């Protein structure tokens, strides 16, 4: 999979150091994946939450952080939509949150 907005991950883990290893591990696994369906993704990331046919939420660092992505399975692209703490995640509308840098915009 090609991950779009990797810079968002880097900016976040420079700010939140304890998230670094978990985000890098997620990135490496995702980059090497070739999911064609949400079911294939769930086989690899059983704790991921499938919100819609495109939107997925990953638990990062023991669920301390949440990573929201949109996936274009046919194009093999993962778009990073939102990244933040679990507490901040509880304040957003997961279905409407838009592409943003780290977690500057919350809905």
């Amino acid at each position: 999979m090609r991950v779009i907005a990797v810079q968002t991950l880097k900016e976040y883990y420079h700010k939140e150091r304890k998230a670094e290893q978990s985000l890098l591990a997620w990135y490496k696994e995702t980059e090497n994946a070739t999911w064609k369906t949400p079911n294939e993704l769930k086989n690899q990331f059983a704790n991921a939450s499938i919100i819609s046919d495109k939107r997925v939420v990953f638990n990062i660092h023991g669920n301390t952080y949440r990573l929201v992505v949109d996936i274009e399975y046919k194009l093999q692209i993962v778009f990073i939509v939102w990244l933040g703490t679990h507490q901040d995640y509880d304040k957003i509308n997961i279905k409407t949150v838009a592409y943003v840098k780290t977690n500057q915009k919350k809905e």
Side-chain angles (χ1 to χ4, degrees):
M1 303 295 281
R2 184 169 156 223
V3 179
I4 304 296
V6 176
Q7 187 63 32
T8 301
L9 296 180
K10 292 178 183 176
E11 288 173 7
Y12 196 82
Y13 69 64
H14 281 101
K15 189 173 63 171
E16 292 284 336
R17 288 311 224 173
K18 68 180 183 176
E20 182 175 8
Q21 290 304 314
S22 298
L23 286 171
L24 289 173
W26 174 87
Y27 173 73
K28 290 251 185 233
E29 283 189 61
T30 301
E31 186 179 47
N32 292 321
T34 56
W35 309 310
K36 293 183 178 32
T37 66
N39 287 337
E40 289 181 7
L41 180 149
K42 284 291 277 185
N43 287 336
Q44 185 171 357
F45 288 99
N47 289 330
S49 299
I50 308 297
I51 306 303
S52 69
D53 59 340
K54 290 176 56 168
R55 185 143 298 182
V56 178
V57 178
F58 292 93
N59 300 321
I60 305 293
H61 195 74
N63 209 17
T64 302
Y65 305 100
R66 290 286 181 98
L67 174 63
V68 179
V69 303
D70 279 351
I71 301 176
E72 293 292 341
Y73 294 96
K74 288 182 182 179
L75 300 174
Q76 294 287 288
I77 297 174
V78 175
F79 297 92
I80 296 173
V81 175
W82 185 90
L83 173 59
T85 66
H86 194 137
Q87 284 180 322
D88 288 339
Y89 171 83
D90 290 340
K91 298 174 188 172
I92 65 170
N93 181 331
I94 190 60
K95 293 179 181 176
T96 61
V97 67
Y99 301 99
V100 294
K101 289 183 107 178
T102 54
N103 68 11
Q104 294 172 353
K105 177 181 176 186
K106 298 178 195 140
E107 295 185 7

